[in-house]
Amino acid sequence: MKILVINGPNLNLLGIREPEIYGKKTYADLVDLINETGGELGVEVEVFQSNHEGDIVDKIGEAYYDADGIVINPAAYTHTSVAILDALKAVGLPAVEVHISDVSKRESFRQISYVRAACETSFVGLGLEGYAEAMRFLYDLLNKKSQTALDK
Ligand code: CA2
């Protein structure tokens, strides 16, 4: 089983500013947490970060051939990108949305999530731990799906 974790713009800068919103941990800490969680679950993990919408769309398209599920924090593109929504819908892989901060309690423009319509569920406001929760959720879901396919 392979889980692709996608991070959108500026998440590579985690830890350098706004610790009251995003915490003090860095992007490297986040990558470590994701890889550790993958190890605990016994799954292959790829972590991808880009500041460019088209690169994220391309990565989702490649995942069709290469991954079983997607964990995605599209960052600011959450609130703007129909292209990322369409890419997730096009590949049809199970996807889970993550936000480090509680976007529901922030500015009104952060209340809109285009990608949510293509995601199984969202983990919001749990800090970096939300990624681990999302990976566990996806792992359980993928196992259930393969069991259902075997039962047929
Ligand atoms: O809470 C989240 O995970 C967000 O997806 C983070 C995005 C924001 O645009 C979304 O509304 C919610 C921002 C990502 C990184 O922003 C930084 C800001 C300051 C310092 C470092 C990173």
Side-chain angles (χ1 to χ4, degrees), residues 21-106:
I21 301 175
Y22 300 112
K24 287 184 186 157
K25 298 257 172 82
T26 64
Y27 186 70
D29 294 328
L30 174 58
V31 173
D32 286 348
L33 172 77
I34 291 166
N35 285 324
E36 277 164 25
T37 307
E40 281 161 25
L41 295 173
V43 301
E44 190 184 342
V45 175
E46 181 180 354
V47 192
F48 175 80
Q49 190 277 329
S50 177
N51 296 325
H52 305 282
E53 186 176 21
D55 290 346
I56 294 170
V57 169
D58 286 345
K59 193 69 188 176
I60 294 168
E62 287 162 23
Y64 180 76
Y65 303 99
D66 189 44
D68 299 294
I70 299 173
V71 170
I72 184 162
N73 181 350
Y77 290 140
T78 306
H79 319 300
T80 62
S81 181
V82 177
I84 293 175
L85 168 65
D86 284 347
L88 290 169
K89 283 189 168 173
V91 299
L93 293 171
V96 178
E97 179 186 20
V98 175
H99 295 289
I100 297 167
S101 65
D102 186 353
V103 279
S104 71
K105 301 214 170 80
R106 298 182 64 193

Side-chain angles (χ1 to χ4, degrees), residues 4 18-19 47 51 87 109 112 126 128 130 132 136 142 148-149:
L4 171 65
E18 302 192 280
V47 192
N51 296 325
F109 64 85
I112 296 160
L126 301 177
L128 300 193
R136 288 183 202 116
L142 289 166
T148 309

